């Protein structure tokens, strides 16, 4: 949830408790391995997987139903291709989807989210270390920084404010994963992944 104070504690406890009870699961080889497994399912079912492409438009029929997606090469922005599709799934922000739709459909998407606050934007930085992370004190797989200013769940939202500009002396809440501490299947070329 964007604001921990709006998340009902029992629901949070049930979800987190279930996660801890069953144990965290890591896909050996990382998200790339998971993506490749999903791609294999698609191709075995007769579909195609297109990589390095950026969707630029979703075409709709007169009833507002999807009929095709247009996409271009992600680097050159050329080589436009049109693929017919009776269903389109997206995990992008509503604004990004609206930019790909005809005007009337874009207005409907924007209206559905009008007045809602923008959600937080999470980011991840990946580092390939030539030296073992243990040399720098990173011996565990997971580390979480809970700064001293964090006194209750409702305080977590302050991290977004800190990241909006140079946080100075106050650090945001963050998590760190040291993939060399487990048999991750990552680390090609001798580099150790820290995220």
């Amino acid at each position: 949830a964007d604001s921990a104070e709006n998340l009902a504690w029992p629901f949070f406890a049930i979800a987190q408790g279930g996660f801890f009870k069953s144990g965290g699961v890591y896909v050996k080889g990382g998200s790339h391995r998971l993506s490749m497994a999903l791609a294999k399912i698609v191709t075995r079912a007769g579909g195609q997987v297109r990589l390095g492409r950026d969707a630029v438009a979703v075409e709709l029929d007169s009833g507002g139903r999807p009929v095709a997606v247009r996409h271009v090469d992600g680097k050159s922005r050329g080589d436009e291709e049109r693929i017919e599709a009776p269903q389109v799934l997206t995990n992008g922000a509503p604004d990004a989807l609206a930019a790909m739709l005809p005007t009337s459909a874009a207005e409907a998407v924007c209206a559905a989210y009008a007045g809602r606050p923008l959600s937080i934007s999470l980011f991840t930085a990946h580092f390939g270390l030539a030296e073992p992370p243990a040399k720098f004190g990173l011996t565990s797989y997971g580390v979480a920084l809970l700064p001293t200013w964090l006194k209750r769940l409702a305080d977590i939202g302050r991290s977004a404010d800190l990241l909006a500009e140079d946080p100075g002396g106050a650090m945001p809440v963050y998590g760190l994963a040291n993939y060399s501490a487990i048999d991750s299947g990552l680390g090609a070329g001798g580099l150790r992944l820290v995220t």
Side-chain angles (χ1 to χ4, degrees):
D2 288 355
S3 9
E5 66 269 20
N6 294 330
L7 178 64
W9 172 249
F11 295 118
F12 174 80
I14 289 168
Q16 278 300 111
F19 175 77
F20 291 137
K21 183 177 179 184
S22 65
V25 176
Y26 173 78
V27 177
K28 187 171 183 176
S31 58
H32 175 74
R33 178 78 52 110
L34 178 61
S35 297
M36 295 314 293
L38 293 172
K40 192 178 287 187
I41 291 169
V42 169
T43 55
R44 282 184 182 159
Q48 292 183 2
V49 175
R50 306 284 295 164
L51 303 174
R53 310 290 295 179
D54 291 340
V56 293
V58 177
E59 296 178 12
L60 307 176
D61 66 13
S62 59
R65 292 177 296 275
V67 292
V69 173
R70 293 195 333 256
H71 56 90
V72 297
D73 179 86
K75 292 182 182 171
S76 70
R77 305 299 293 171
D79 183 31
E80 184 171 311
E81 189 174 352
R82 180 182 184 272
I83 297 178
E84 292 185 5
Q87 291 184 330
V88 176
L89 303 176
T90 176
N91 70 345
D95 288 350
L97 173 61
M100 291 187 264
L101 295 171
T103 304
S104 61
E107 289 171 353
V109 167
C110 291
Y113 292 93
R116 293 181 181 223
L118 293 175
S119 64
I120 58 173
S121 178
L122 303 176
F123 66 90
T124 304
H126 303 281
F127 301 95
L129 304 181
E131 298 289 335
K135 187 173 180 178
F136 308 107
L138 297 174
T139 56
S140 299
Y141 165 71
V143 175
L145 172 71
L146 302 176
T148 56
W149 58 259
L150 181 69
K151 303 295 184 198
R152 52 199 182 100
L153 278 175
D155 293 340
I156 291 176
R158 182 170 170 220
S159 285
D161 297 333
L162 291 172
L163 292 171
E165 53 191 60
D166 186 351
M171 290 296 293
V173 175
Y174 73 85
L176 184 142
N178 169 16
Y179 291 96
S180 68
I182 62 172
D183 183 18
S184 66
L186 300 172
L191 296 177
R192 288 94 170 169
L193 178 63
V194 173
T195 300

